[in-house]
Amino acid sequence: MLRSRQRNGIPRYLVPIAAAVLVGVAACDDENLFQGPVGGGADSGRPPSVSIVTPASDAAAKPLGDSLLVRAEVSDDAGIDSVRFFGATLRGDPTLGTDTVVQRFTAVKVVLPGTRDTTLTRFIQPTADTVREITEIIVMVWDVEGLSSADTVSLAIGGPDVELLNLVDGQTLQAGLALNLSAIARDPEGVTSVQYTLTGIIDQTLVRAFNPAIDTVQVDTAVALPPGVTGALSVSVSAVNTDGVSGLDGPIQLNVVTSTAGDTTPPTVSVEATALPALELTDSIFVTVSGSDDTQGSGVETANVTVRAISLARGDTVTVTDQVTFAPPRTGSVVQAFTFPVLNVDELALPDTIRYEVSATLVDGAGNTSLPATTDLTRPHVAGRTVILPGGGAGLILDAVVDTARRNLFLSNPDRGRVEVFRLDTEVFGTSISAGSRPVGMDISRDGDSLWVANGGGTNFSVIDLTTQPEREVDNDRFFTPDVSLFEVELREGDAVDEFVVEVLPSGDPGFTDRGQFMAVDAFGNIIYSTETTLLGDFGTARKAFQPAGQPNSEVKLFVEHGVNPPADNFWALAHIDSIRNDTNGTGDPVLRFFDHFPGDESMPITADIVLGTADDPSVAAADLRSQGSDVFITPAARWNIESLGFSDTTFIARSGDREFVLIGEGGVGPVARVLMYSARPDEVVSLTGQIPVNDFLQNTSIPIRGIGVNFDGTLSVARADAAYFFDQRLRLNGLVPIENPGAGRGAALHPLHANAPGLVNPGGAYVPDTHLAFVGSGDRTIEIMDTQKFERIGTVTIRDVVTGPLKAILPLPGDNAGLTCATIPIVDRTGAFIGDAVQIYQGGAFETPIPPDGITEDACVVVRVFATTSAGGVVVVPVRKGEILRDHPARQ
């Protein structure tokens, strides 16, 4: 073995290396490491003993930049004081004075006060040096008397790392049986070949080449030991990388003796079980069985796993087994994966906790069975089924729309520039739809045949045809929106004549953005939408886009009614107008001219003048414009407050089921964060039925809005913040329900047939507990079920992940309650019109008398289906069952 060792001192050529490195270590340790003479003196006792076990060969190698495992045996009769591990190279020629010591592995010091005999294992870390060379790995030991010794081994830096896996020095083998060989070689540059070399009673070379090269490879093979031949056998393994540098492990010295009883040694085995922290009913338990047969065994023939699923609530057990057979039997290491479905779960008692006890054995070709390896894991099992988004969960879902007619869920994914299509019947994703630039908000058209998409990367809306398969954008139907501006007119006194000064707003930073965000289509086909904020601080806005009947051009009106405009004498604030400028009339008089156009037709201009120096002011011009068909808006004696008109953060849009009301919820936490309610009006008319600062009904103004929802006829809405806040169409707060853990959760939705809620604007409404329900995402992986009349949480659905995006609720699909007898009740809106049948939950419409689980109207009946995007990067589908709504009901306790 080519190894330089000197246990009573350091070899002469290594003295400068050790001295240089250890002086550096001494500086770090703040002590002089030369506590006594290296190697001892004439009057000293016996120096300590040190032997490097790993690396085992002077031909060992390591890829550049790899840490190195060093194992050393140390002993001393008087007791060890300390041990140092390090690595360094002597470059240059000492005779020429060009020698330089370069540290290649940082030093590690181990203090062992009084220990007499031990084996130490330490990782030493490489320095930043990138030279490929032979370096020295040095282990030095000092005893309590100050005597020292060292052992060294050479290491090729920049070569493959090679390791024999199943042989140890001095091992005894039986003649006539097979010798199983297993080794692993690794190098980032790529391994081109691995070679076993056997000498002694067998002289044999086994080579495995790799083309192309592989960065990590394990090579297992077997060699037959001839019967009746005994003696010494040496085994080594080497590997070569793409640079032609080789690395070696071994040689390992073995002793072959006369065969006895053949293969009687069972394999060794270990088992590991893994699963997600919480499990849906479609998730799996993953079991990995690892092990190997003995060095001369016949190889692993079968791997067996038994899983016992024990219900912690019921105490019953379900047991399943699985087996894999290897033909021929596997020598070397065996790693086999098994997958088991969740077991013994009560679907009507979720969350249901199950403990999985796992046992595994390996059997070799001679029939020897290993002792069983066991492990266990306990997991809660939760409601819902999560389907990962296309692209492995790539992108951030910002909006969701359900097409109940065709049973599709559409999800806007601006990061992928796509609208994802989730098929509700099969619960799989269909072909993604390309739609404009960065699609964000969406809504279904009034006829239900189109999906409108607000493109956050532009100032337009895409129209997707839902009647084709696959669905696609109608390229020629893209809806383009014009720019909008605000104007202020100031009357200034002059020396000879007064003058009007016009300012176009916003005139600087921050300004308004025109890029669409969230949207809704109202009962007249108008688009109510928000625009995005920017990282530069530009405000978002709320707008109404429409195409006037019979007209060639689209129109956009900026919502301004909610602004808090400061009074100012000699100022006029104007909106919904094209431009204003100073000009002269036909007689040469100076005038202030106002320009607009007939709504929907830019080819029909409308103008009005006021003559400077007269009593006319912009209010007169505005009246003149309106008489010609303009939709100009004016506030006399006021200036625009841009901050109060704009929105400081993501602004959500939600509409009622009948499209008569649209809720606008500013997600920000600024002092003017608001919720607005719009009432559907034809064409150019803008009508805000109510507005309220968030801090009027939030307990803490630092809590942003994380979701909004409106019921079928606009009689009740919900805003999800630190709690769920419920209010009517005039934004009068009706009640709130605390959320157990708001956290990072999002989303709020009302029962799809929630309607005719009683309140100030609907005093004739009626409480229907079967449908007056809200579903709110929390931060602790639940969807909370709330009664919107009593304003209390009445149930909880535990899911696997946190709701991080939009949350929607629809009526059960036709197959959801197949085979069940689920009573239904008709539901009407505020006008008395029938809007659908709901699964009945209570007897006689009274909250106090829930229907008992009598086998006729089963608790398994699905009341609604909830869909939400979650932290797992997918869509969770949650059938909310009657039993989950009634589980905590006082009458069920």
Side-chain angles (χ1 to χ4, degrees), residues 107-367:
V108 174
K109 173 186 175 183
V110 181
V111 177
L112 300 169
T115 302
R116 294 190 176 187
D117 190 352
T118 188
T119 298
L120 295 175
T121 301
R122 292 294 184 273
F123 275 98
I124 54 177
Q125 301 299 320
T127 62
D129 199 308
T130 58
V131 175
R132 301 173 186 272
E133 62 185 354
I134 303 297
T135 193
E136 301 295 334
I137 305 303
I138 305 170
V139 178
M140 295 190 67
V141 56
W142 280 260
D143 66 13
V144 294
E145 296 177 344
L147 302 179
S148 62
S149 296
D151 193 15
T152 69
V153 64
S154 298
L155 180 77
I157 298 180
D161 184 14
V162 191
E163 182 183 3
L164 274 166
L165 298 178
N166 64 333
L167 297 176
V168 294
D169 214 33
Q171 185 173 344
T172 297
L173 305 176
Q174 295 185 57
L177 299 179
L179 170 60
N180 299 319
L181 301 174
S182 182
I184 189 168
R186 184 184 61 82
D187 195 309
E189 302 297 326
V191 175
T192 60
S193 66
V194 173
Q195 175 177 301
Y196 287 103
T197 301
L198 292 81
T199 60
I201 66 165
I202 299 176
D203 288 315
Q204 190 171 357
T205 299
L206 306 171
V207 181
R208 175 84 178 274
F210 305 97
N211 187 13
I214 302 174
D215 58 3
T216 301
V217 61
Q218 181 171 330
V219 178
D220 296 329
T221 189
V223 175
L225 298 180
V229 179
T230 62
L233 178 65
S234 175
V235 178
S236 61
V237 62
S238 62
V240 179
N241 68 11
T242 53
D243 292 330
V245 180
S246 63
L248 175 74
D249 190 20
I252 299 295
Q253 303 300 330
L254 307 173
N255 184 31
V256 180
V257 299
T258 303
S259 177
T260 56
D263 182 7
T264 60
T265 305
T268 59
V269 64
S270 63
V271 64
E272 180 183 17
T274 59
L276 293 169
L279 297 173
E280 297 174 345
L281 299 185
T282 54
D283 284 335
S284 300
I285 309 297
F286 301 99
V287 177
T288 301
V289 178
S290 305
S292 62
D293 201 8
D294 65 293
T295 307
Q296 292 194 277
S298 49
V300 175
E301 187 172 60
T302 60
N304 309 286
V305 175
T306 299
V307 177
R308 300 176 68 244
I310 305 169
S311 169
L312 299 188
R314 301 178 303 278
D316 59 329
T317 300
V318 172
T319 301
V320 295
T321 61
D322 198 4
Q323 181 184 85
V324 171
T325 300
F326 306 105
R330 294 273 185 91
T331 59
S333 300
V334 173
V335 178
Q336 180 62 45
F338 294 85
T339 302
F340 295 90
V342 299
L343 301 166
N344 199 23
V345 180
D346 185 351
E347 191 172 354
L348 297 183
L350 300 176
D352 189 11
T353 301
I354 304 295
R355 184 174 74 246
Y356 293 93
E357 295 182 348
V358 182
S359 175
T361 59
L362 294 178
V363 181
D364 67 16

Side-chain angles (χ1 to χ4, degrees), residues 71-93:
R71 181 178 291 109
E73 297 172 347
V74 295
S75 63
D76 187 83
D77 293 339
I80 302 296
D81 174 75
S82 60
V83 181
R84 276 77 169 178
F85 299 77
F86 57 98
T89 302
L90 179 64
R91 296 178 188 166
D93 188 342

Side-chain angles (χ1 to χ4, degrees), residues 284-511:
S284 300
I285 309 297
F286 301 99
V287 177
T288 301
V289 178
S290 305
S292 62
D293 201 8
D294 65 293
T295 307
Q296 292 194 277
S298 49
V300 175
E301 187 172 60
T302 60
N304 309 286
V305 175
T306 299
V307 177
R308 300 176 68 244
I310 305 169
S311 169
L312 299 188
R314 301 178 303 278
D316 59 329
T317 300
V318 172
T319 301
V320 295
T321 61
D322 198 4
Q323 181 184 85
V324 171
T325 300
F326 306 105
R330 294 273 185 91
T331 59
S333 300
V334 173
V335 178
Q336 180 62 45
F338 294 85
T339 302
F340 295 90
V342 299
L343 301 166
N344 199 23
V345 180
D346 185 351
E347 191 172 354
L348 297 183
L350 300 176
D352 189 11
T353 301
I354 304 295
R355 184 174 74 246
Y356 293 93
E357 295 182 348
V358 182
S359 175
T361 59
L362 294 178
V363 181
D364 67 16
N368 301 305
T369 302
S370 68
L371 293 174
T374 61
T375 188
D376 67 83
L377 55 83
T378 300
R379 292 292 187 271
H381 295 67
V382 298
R385 174 176 181 260
T386 298
V387 183
I388 299 300
L389 291 164
L396 175 65
I397 300 301
L398 292 183
D399 201 9
V401 170
V402 178
D403 176 11
T404 54
R406 299 168 188 83
R407 299 176 190 169
N408 290 319
L409 175 69
F410 298 103
L411 305 164
S412 64
N413 192 337
D415 292 344
R416 279 171 40 92
R418 295 286 188 271
V419 173
E420 313 291 0
V421 185
F422 185 69
R423 310 297 185 191
L424 301 182
D425 282 340
T426 58
E427 296 186 1
V428 298
F429 279 97
T431 303
S432 299
I433 307 169
S434 176
S437 174
R438 296 193 71 253
V440 181
M442 304 178 295
D443 198 9
I444 302 287
S445 62
R446 288 179 299 166
D447 62 10
D449 289 340
S450 300
L451 177 70
W452 285 70
V453 183
N455 292 313
T459 57
N460 52 71
F461 297 86
S462 294
V463 180
I464 294 173
D465 185 357
L466 302 181
T467 64
T468 61
Q469 284 295 320
E471 300 85 351
R472 63 176 183 84
E473 180 181 3
V474 183
D475 296 328
N476 294 332
D477 279 359
R478 192 166 291 182
F479 187 93
F480 297 93
T481 62
D483 192 13
V484 294
S485 296
L486 301 175
F487 298 87
E488 280 184 355
V489 178
E490 178 188 6
L491 176 62
R492 293 181 182 175
E493 295 182 359
D495 294 336
V497 64
D498 294 344
E499 64 175 348
F500 287 99
V501 177
V502 180
E503 184 174 6
V504 182
L505 299 175
S507 57
D509 294 328

Side-chain angles (χ1 to χ4, degrees), residues 769-824:
D770 306 84
T771 61
H772 284 191
L773 301 169
F775 306 91
V776 178
S778 79
D780 61 356
R781 295 177 170 82
T782 63
I783 296 173
E784 299 191 1
I785 306 170
M786 301 174 181
D787 185 281
T788 64
Q789 176 73 12
K790 299 183 178 299
F791 300 109
E792 61 184 39
R793 187 181 63 214
I794 60 172
T796 300
V797 179
T798 302
I799 57 177
R800 193 185 69 187
D801 307 294
V802 176
V803 176
T804 56
L807 184 151
K808 302 291 180 179
I810 66 170
L811 293 177
L813 298 178
D816 283 342
N817 292 324
L820 302 175
T821 304
C822 301
T824 60

Side-chain angles (χ1 to χ4, degrees), residues 446-761:
R446 288 179 299 166
D447 62 10
D449 289 340
S450 300
L451 177 70
W452 285 70
V453 183
N455 292 313
T459 57
N460 52 71
F461 297 86
S462 294
V463 180
I464 294 173
D465 185 357
L466 302 181
T467 64
T468 61
Q469 284 295 320
E471 300 85 351
R472 63 176 183 84
E473 180 181 3
V474 183
D475 296 328
N476 294 332
D477 279 359
R478 192 166 291 182
F479 187 93
F480 297 93
T481 62
D483 192 13
V484 294
S485 296
L486 301 175
F487 298 87
E488 280 184 355
V489 178
E490 178 188 6
L491 176 62
R492 293 181 182 175
E493 295 182 359
D495 294 336
V497 64
D498 294 344
E499 64 175 348
F500 287 99
V501 177
V502 180
E503 184 174 6
V504 182
L505 299 175
S507 57
D509 294 328
F512 291 152
T513 64
D514 296 328
R515 294 181 286 118
Q517 193 175 51
F518 293 99
M519 62 164 290
V521 178
D522 75 6
F524 295 94
N526 305 308
I527 301 172
I528 310 303
Y529 70 104
S530 60
T531 62
E532 292 189 339
T533 57
T534 72
L535 296 176
L536 299 177
D538 291 328
F539 292 111
T541 60
R543 305 185 182 194
K544 178 176 180 176
F546 56 94
Q547 184 91 25
Q551 302 301 324
N553 303 122
S554 61
E555 290 285 332
V556 169
K557 297 174 73 68
L558 184 70
F559 283 21
V560 296
E561 293 80 357
H562 60 286
V564 181
N565 302 319
D569 293 338
N570 296 324
F571 274 89
W572 291 261
L574 294 97
H576 315 331
I577 191 172
D578 292 343
S579 66
I580 308 172
R581 71 169 183 259
N582 285 287
D583 209 336
T584 58
N585 61 15
T587 61
D589 296 323
V591 299
L592 185 65
R593 181 159 295 164
F594 297 76
F595 296 85
D596 203 3
H597 63 273
F598 189 82
D601 191 346
E602 296 178 358
S603 68
M604 297 178 61
I606 300 172
T607 61
D609 294 345
I610 57 174
V611 180
L612 275 63
T614 68
D616 291 345
D617 64 31
S619 295
V620 175
D624 188 1
L625 291 172
R626 280 195 292 267
S627 69
Q628 301 176 64
S630 170
D631 55 1
V632 62
F633 176 93
I634 187 169
T635 301
R639 304 189 66 179
W640 292 119
N641 181 337
I642 298 301
E643 183 175 340
S644 73
L645 290 177
F647 298 103
S648 60
D649 201 348
T650 301
T651 302
F652 300 98
I653 301 288
R655 64 164 171 83
S656 59
D658 60 8
R659 301 180 185 269
E660 291 292 337
F661 296 93
V662 177
L663 191 65
I664 304 166
E666 183 179 13
V669 299
V672 293
R674 289 143 294 181
V675 173
L676 315 178
M677 181 71 83
Y678 159 84
S679 177
R681 294 291 186 272
D683 292 350
E684 71 272 10
V685 179
V686 174
S687 176
L688 292 178
T689 63
Q691 57 175 302
I692 188 169
V694 170
N695 59 8
D696 276 11
F697 61 80
L698 294 190
Q699 296 172 342
N700 185 342
T701 58
S702 67
I703 301 298
I705 298 293
R706 296 301 188 195
I708 57 175
V710 187
N711 75 347
F712 183 85
D713 54 8
T715 52
L716 194 75
S717 299
V718 59
R720 189 261 191 236
D722 61 329
Y725 296 85
F726 298 91
F727 45 91
D728 63 24
Q729 68 190 57
R730 291 185 183 174
L731 303 183
R732 300 297 298 170
L733 183 63
N734 286 12
L736 64 87
V737 181
I739 298 173
E740 187 72 18
N741 176 16
R746 292 176 178 264
L750 296 164
H751 189 294
L753 297 181
H754 191 303
N756 198 26
L760 179 65
V761 294

